[in-house]
Amino acid sequence: MLPKRVMGLLVIFNICFLLLIYRLSQIQLFDPKAFSKHHINLLEESVKQRTQELVIDNGRGNFLDRNGAMLTYKKVNVLVLFPFLKKIDWDVNKVSTITGIPENKLKESVDHAEKPFAYGEPEPFEMTASQMERINALKIPGVFAIERKFERSQIPAEQLIGLTGENAKEVNKRYPNKKLSDNTLIGVSGLEESFDEFLLPDGKSKLVYHVDGDGAPLFGMNVKYVDPANPFYPVNVRTTLNKNLQQKAEELVDKYHIKNGGLVLLNIEDNSVLTLVSRPAIIKTDPYNNYGITNRMLKQQIIGSVFKTVVAAAAIDHQLDDPTRLFDCSKKLNGKPEVQFNYGMLNFTDSFARSCNRTFGELAKELQQNDPHVLEDYAAKLSLIGSVGWQGNIYHTSNFKQFADEDKGRVFMSDQARKDANYVMMSGIGQHEVRATPLAVANMMATIARGGKKEMVRAVSKIEYKNGTTMMDFPEKSLAGDSISPYTAMRLQKLLRRVVLNPDGTGKWFQNLPFDVAGKSGTAETGKYEKGKQLYNKWFAGYFPFQNPKYALVAVQLDVFENEGAVHSLFADIVKLLYEQTRGNE
């Protein structure tokens, strides 16, 4: 019989042996694709040690514009060269003749290569279809002509589309039941984040070859094409953006040096986003610096006199728009003489056209005396406050939101403010606690142009499978809640048009545009100062053509001095751009 000490050692040895067996089984059999808390794919890692590869498509879903043009990526016909070419005698002369690339450049690029590459990266040499066909007909090992997907250096509507990144902790938090590697790309902002679950890769398409320790071919020079072979993935998210229009709008925003602000352009017919520009722009090397990642068009801002549209709607319905009544526009809200904007005595219509503060401060006070919630009710009726972006139940997600980071806007923050006459008068001209997003302001104009019909704003119309069939639609949807009457909408339409037609109106700059414009200006005090001077938010919001509305447009410049601002020029140039585009399509 063995001594107890020996028995004990044998037991310990057996336990250790069993643990080792279990560990090896775990590595080899149970969790080879998601090993440890970091979900490391051991199969992939082992393959990496003995292969070299070139990723053709990372497998993440794509964003398209409304016409099918790719937004986030581009596909380029490229010349792919493998590093083992330096170890063999290959027909560089024929490749040079077909591509036009000098022989010495081709050889030099291969000599410096440690892994497969597309010639010319990061700006790859682009080949024609004919060149591709002739290159592949040569059948030179390690020389291929393929179509490869590249991320664009400049992405249109980048804050709306959003950014992606690698974050192992967030991957495991979002998708605890999915076996994803730690370096899986996920959306971190914008539509990339909202639609992330649909965009996750099913696998990568790549060219692979096996190497020995010195990088030489291990099993000859056979290069394999690896593809998930799934006809449905990656999906395409079809946005409502117009890529060409978006790029031209961004050029105009930058032309007028709008460093903080931007524009929103809606297609009134289906209430979708045609273009959206937000500044400051994203700095790719440091996206969280300078707030560039923030979509300013979805964040609440002080809107100033644009809010007088809400007060006007409430005044019309409460019979406070008597055309014979005159308001003393030679006085400020506090009753003191108005020096800078002394308009004398004005009626309701001219007060709106010239944006008289005294008129709409008094009207707001009269309205609130009867109902402390009347301004908020009419702001909601005009879709100015509350979420306006598309939301609903889809797939297995309830209350899905296309604009996940959209602010809701507000009129008052407390009962005290609702009942304080001074605060109410300030609110009547869009100051004090009044806030709204540029997206909501654009939607208010679209609502008025449609005769009072409120609709959700879409930035995505559908998700398509890889083979082009529809996976999911995002149909037009009405916004819940009360709306203004067709009569009130018609009255507001005339008021907004008068802003432009009145020789002294705040929109007189738009009288000679190719489309008839209706709209409202806004100059809001921000309470911020720079170099001892007050900063303002400058707005113009409107729609056109007036008789047959197609577009709702908001241009806004934030935190500028009183004598600065380019929103009128920006608004006018967008109108001209759309007119030229319309003529070009006829």
Side-chain angles (χ1 to χ4, degrees):
M1 190 160 181
L2 293 172
K4 290 185 177 179
R5 181 178 296 178
V6 176
M7 285 292 292
L9 289 173
L10 285 173
V11 170
I12 293 172
F13 175 79
N14 285 330
I15 291 173
C16 291
F17 183 73
L18 289 172
L19 289 173
L20 180 61
I21 293 296
Y22 171 76
R23 187 65 165 171
L24 290 172
S25 299
Q26 186 183 24
I27 292 172
Q28 296 289 332
L29 301 175
F30 304 138
D31 299 316
K33 294 185 178 181
F35 180 69
S36 82
K37 64 180 180 180
H38 300 294
H39 295 275
I40 298 171
N41 191 322
L42 296 174
L43 297 180
E44 285 186 357
E45 294 302 316
S46 65
V47 168
K48 284 180 182 178
Q49 293 180 3
R50 51 188 172 82
T51 61
Q52 290 190 352
E53 62 183 39
L54 178 76
V55 175
I56 300 170
D57 189 325
N58 64 10
R60 186 168 176 83
N62 311 298
F63 284 94
L64 311 178
D65 85 340
R66 62 173 50 220
N67 300 313
M70 297 184 75
L71 296 173
T72 46
Y73 296 97
K74 60 181 178 180
K75 291 185 176 180
V76 181
N77 297 333
V78 297
L79 175 67
V80 173
L81 302 173
F82 277 72
F84 65 70
L85 287 168
K86 69 184 74 172
K87 299 179 182 293
I88 65 172
D89 183 22
W90 58 291
D91 202 338
V92 65
N93 177 262
K94 287 185 179 179
V95 175
S96 175
T97 301
I98 293 171
T99 62
I101 304 170
E103 287 186 39
N104 64 314
K105 293 291 184 182
L106 290 168
K107 287 182 177 180
E108 184 180 335
S109 63
V110 170
D111 288 341
H112 289 90
E114 296 182 356
K115 57 184 180 180
F117 65 97
Y119 182 83
E121 286 187 280
E123 293 296 329
F125 174 78
E126 189 167 356
M127 295 191 297
T128 65
S130 173
Q131 287 175 318
M132 286 183 68
E133 186 177 350
R134 291 165 64 194
I135 286 290
N136 289 329
L138 295 175
K139 296 183 179 180
I140 299 174
V143 178
F144 301 92
I146 62 169
E147 183 183 65
R148 189 182 181 197
K149 189 168 82 172
F150 291 87
E151 183 177 0
R152 293 185 181 277
S153 56
Q154 296 294 325
I155 297 174
E158 194 160 23
Q159 287 95 340
L160 175 63
I161 299 296
L163 299 179
T164 58
E166 295 179 8
N167 186 321
K169 186 177 180 180
E170 185 63 21
V171 167
N172 296 327
K173 179 182 175 182
R174 285 189 198 177
Y175 309 108
N177 299 321
K178 291 181 181 285
K179 292 185 177 181
L180 300 170
S181 65
D182 285 355
N183 60 358
T184 298
L185 277 179
I186 58 172
V188 296
S189 67
L191 299 178
E192 289 277 15
E193 183 177 11
S194 299
F195 288 83
D196 190 52
E197 184 175 1
F198 302 99
L199 297 166
L200 289 173
D202 186 55
K204 298 177 181 179
S205 299
K206 51 194 176 183
L207 295 176
V208 177
Y209 83 107
H210 296 269
V211 295
D212 59 21
D214 296 322
L218 189 61
F219 304 118
M221 298 170 195
N222 292 326
V223 175
K224 293 184 178 180
Y225 173 69
V226 178
D227 182 59
N230 189 328
F232 300 106
Y233 292 90
V235 301
N236 293 314
V237 176
R238 188 175 287 262
T239 71
T240 61
L241 295 170
N242 181 309
K243 180 186 172 186
N244 292 334
L245 196 59
Q246 174 68 34
Q247 291 173 327
K248 290 176 181 176
E250 291 184 12
E251 291 171 3
L252 286 171
V253 168
D254 294 335
K255 171 186 174 181
Y256 289 112
H257 307 290
I258 295 179
K259 297 178 181 178
N260 191 2
L263 64 85
V264 179
L265 176 68
L266 300 183
N267 181 331
I268 291 176
E269 184 179 0
D270 61 5
N271 218 48
S272 61
V273 178
L274 277 172
T275 70
L276 185 150
V277 184
S278 177
R279 292 291 183 267
I282 293 176
I283 300 174
K284 280 294 185 69
T285 55
D286 191 7
Y288 295 95
N289 191 18
N290 89 327
Y291 304 101
I293 198 171
T294 302
N295 190 340
R296 286 286 191 274
M297 301 302 99
L298 302 183
K299 296 302 173 185
Q300 56 180 228
Q301 315 290 350
I302 306 172
I303 64 173
S305 294
V306 173
F307 189 74
K308 290 171 184 174
T309 310
V310 173
V311 180
I316 291 167
D317 283 358
H318 289 79
Q319 291 79 49
L320 297 178
D321 59 334
D322 183 350
T324 64
R325 179 183 177 183
L326 297 179
F327 298 86
D328 190 354
C329 294
S330 65
K331 294 181 179 179
K332 296 182 178 181
L333 292 181
N334 58 13
K336 294 181 180 180
E338 176 63 79
V339 178
Q340 186 176 4
F341 303 108
N342 183 352
Y343 302 139
M345 304 299 291
L346 296 178
N347 63 18
F348 176 75
T349 299
D350 289 337
S351 290
F352 190 84
R354 302 191 68 178
S355 203
C356 171
N357 286 341
R358 181 75 181 182
T359 299
F360 289 90
E362 287 187 5
L363 288 171
K365 184 172 69 173
E366 293 173 20
L367 288 162
Q368 288 290 107
Q369 286 173 347
N370 295 323
D371 180 359
H373 295 279
V374 66
L375 293 183
E376 289 161 303
D377 290 344
Y378 273 81
K381 286 181 178 182
L382 285 165
S383 73
L384 190 64
I385 59 175
S387 298
V388 301
W390 196 100
Q391 56 184 295
N393 299 331
I394 62 166
Y395 201 40
H396 55 263
T397 304
S398 60
N399 199 29
F400 174 85
K401 295 181 179 180
Q402 290 194 3
F403 304 101
D405 48 357
E406 176 195 3
D407 286 349
K408 291 187 176 181
R410 64 173 190 256
V411 179
F412 297 106
M413 295 180 68
S414 67
D415 278 333
Q416 179 185 358
R418 288 184 188 92
K419 297 174 183 177
D420 186 298
N422 291 324
Y423 288 155
V424 168
M425 292 181 76
M426 290 293 292
S427 300
I429 63 170
Q431 293 287 165
H432 190 49
E433 296 169 348
V434 176
R435 302 287 187 276
T437 68
L439 182 71
V441 173
N443 202 43
M444 176 175 73
M445 290 297 162
T447 298
I448 294 169
R450 279 193 299 268
K453 184 181 178 183
K454 296 192 306 182
E455 292 186 359
M456 295 180 184
V457 180
R458 295 182 302 161
V460 172
S461 59
K462 60 182 175 179
I463 301 175
E464 301 170 336
Y465 287 117
K466 180 181 177 180
N467 61 8
T469 59
T470 298
M471 174 187 184
M472 186 179 305
D473 277 312
F474 296 89
E476 297 176 44
K477 290 183 68 174
S478 298
L479 275 170
D482 295 334
S483 58
I484 59 172
S485 68
Y487 170 78
T488 305
M490 179 268 292
R491 289 291 312 279
L492 289 177
Q493 290 168 2
K494 291 183 177 180
L495 287 174
L496 293 169
R497 179 61 178 152
R498 191 62 190 165
V499 169
V500 176
L501 292 179
N502 189 310
D504 297 312
T506 57
K508 61 185 178 183
W509 326 99
F510 308 123
Q511 289 179 3
N512 297 318
L513 290 178
F515 282 138
D516 290 337
V517 171
K520 184 72 186 77
S521 63
T523 302
E525 296 179 357
T526 64
K528 303 175 187 176
Y529 289 82
E530 188 176 301
K531 300 177 182 178
K533 295 182 180 180
Q534 166 88 276
L535 296 177
Y536 296 83
N537 292 345
K538 301 289 188 73
W539 297 76
F540 198 85
Y543 68 89
F544 51 92
F546 177 67
Q547 296 295 345
N548 182 27
K550 294 182 178 179
Y551 309 104
L553 174 63
V554 168
V556 57
Q557 193 167 10
L558 305 171
D559 299 333
V560 292
F561 295 121
E562 188 174 13
N563 61 346
E564 292 182 327
V567 293
H568 287 138
S569 299
L570 175 61
F571 192 103
D573 278 1
I574 294 293
V575 173
K576 294 173 186 175
L577 177 62
L578 286 163
Y579 179 76
E580 291 299 323
Q581 186 182 70
T582 302
R583 288 184 62 189
N585 292 334
E586 289 178 352

